[in-house]
Amino acid sequence: MHTTPTLLTELDALPARWVVHGTVAAPVEAVAALLLAVAEGRVGDDNLLLLARASTARRGAMTVVAGAGKDVCRATCAGAVEPVEIQVDRVGARVAVRSWYAGVHTATAGPAGTRVTHRVHRVHPEHPGFTAGIAEIGLRARMTRDLRQVLAVIADRLGC
């Protein structure tokens, strides 16, 4: 029987283009609960936090809808933006996202709390956010900034 590979399986098979990480001084279970909170409805700090700062989400125009399987969903966006694929791995404390880029956020226990790692595996060069010359530096800086924002929200929500 042939099965379609999951998003996490596909991304795990690819090398990471770059990795950014940060730490929250809180238990991994608490951090993972916020990081992996994905349910049908509007994207925000309490739902698909990873994309809550995206311009479409800030305008209230990004919504999570069920996908084909448990912990598989997509985020639809107003306008001409392609849907975002999402897969949550609650056991492994990971969430994968594929849109104009593809990456995985993982929460793991560390000596100072919870380490959140964002591995970027693929960036679609035809996307307007990918500009030759500054692409790698600019996107790495953007991913670092975005992760810091996510960690700040988590730290604030957990009071640490």
Side-chain angles (χ1 to χ4, degrees):
M1 171 170 56
H2 175 71
T3 59
T4 304
T6 67
L7 178 56
L8 278 162
T9 302
E10 288 177 30
L11 296 181
D12 285 345
L14 297 173
R17 289 184 70 152
W18 65 81
V19 178
V20 296
H21 54 84
T23 301
V24 177
V28 69
E29 296 81 12
V31 173
L34 296 173
L35 189 68
L36 306 178
V38 179
E40 288 192 85
R42 185 195 239 161
V43 172
D45 286 352
D46 60 346
N47 189 28
L48 194 54
L49 172 60
L50 300 176
L51 297 181
R53 299 297 179 277
S55 62
T56 307
R58 287 193 319 263
R59 291 191 318 268
M62 184 182 288
T63 305
V64 176
V65 295
K70 181 178 178 355
D71 289 327
V72 174
C73 51
R74 59 189 170 87
T76 59
C77 307
V81 180
E82 295 282 327
V84 178
E85 295 176 64
I86 301 139
Q87 183 181 8
V88 178
D89 171 9
R90 296 188 192 288
V91 173
R94 306 182 307 156
V95 60
V97 173
R98 177 170 45 204
S99 60
W100 60 271
Y101 88 100
V104 179
H105 284 77
T106 306
T108 54
T114 300
R115 181 181 178 111
V116 177
T117 303
H118 182 191
R119 291 178 293 126
V120 176
H121 294 280
R122 187 181 310 143
V123 178
H124 298 289
E126 65 276 3
H127 186 274
F130 192 85
T131 306
I134 63 166
E136 290 292 324
I137 295 168
L139 287 174
R140 183 181 176 105
R142 177 179 174 176
M143 297 300 164
T144 300
R145 180 204 65 211
D146 291 351
L147 181 60
R148 282 190 193 129
Q149 290 175 345
V150 166
L151 297 180
V153 169
I154 290 172
D156 181 62
R157 300 261 317 266
L158 297 176
C160 56

